[in-house]
Amino acid sequence: MSYSAAETEAAHEACSRVLNDIGLGGCHFALEPLGDTWLVHVECPGKGRTTTSSISVDHHVLYASLDDHAAYERLRNDWTEVLSECLRA
């Protein structure tokens, strides 16, 4: 599946909001389309090295998180758990 420029921009904005909210706004991230999902690659600084964590997220949930508080909270909670190592660094 390919995404339009507007969809890609919305996905980027949604990721940025969640990462900022969980305290990882300074981390670099990249989006990769993968079928009906986005793969979000987050560079996590560590002690002397940088690691990359990847999160798969359904595109509908990602876009919904921009306007739907429940969808946003679900992403926020899931990403906080998945990126817990980044948060400790």
Side-chain angles (χ1 to χ4, degrees):
M1 178 173 194
S2 67
Y3 297 96
S4 69
E7 289 170 320
T8 301
E9 185 177 321
H12 191 275
E13 181 181 346
C15 290
S16 182
R17 284 182 181 186
V18 175
L19 291 171
N20 280 329
D21 194 38
I22 65 174
L24 296 175
C27 292
H28 295 287
F29 71 93
L31 296 169
E32 178 184 350
L34 189 64
D36 287 340
T37 64
W38 283 100
L39 199 54
V40 183
H41 304 285
V42 182
E43 290 183 10
C44 304
K47 296 175 183 169
R49 62 179 172 70
T50 299
T51 60
T52 301
S53 294
S54 297
I55 305 165
S56 179
V57 60
D58 179 89
H59 73 282
H60 295 296
V61 174
L62 190 58
Y63 301 141
S65 74
L66 292 169
D67 300 313
D68 180 341
H69 184 72
Y72 177 81
E73 284 299 314
R74 183 173 8 148
L75 284 183
R76 185 179 181 278
N77 292 334
D78 290 348
W79 291 19
T80 298
E81 185 177 323
V82 171
L83 298 171
S84 62
E85 290 295 320
C86 289
L87 292 166
R88 282 182 258 187

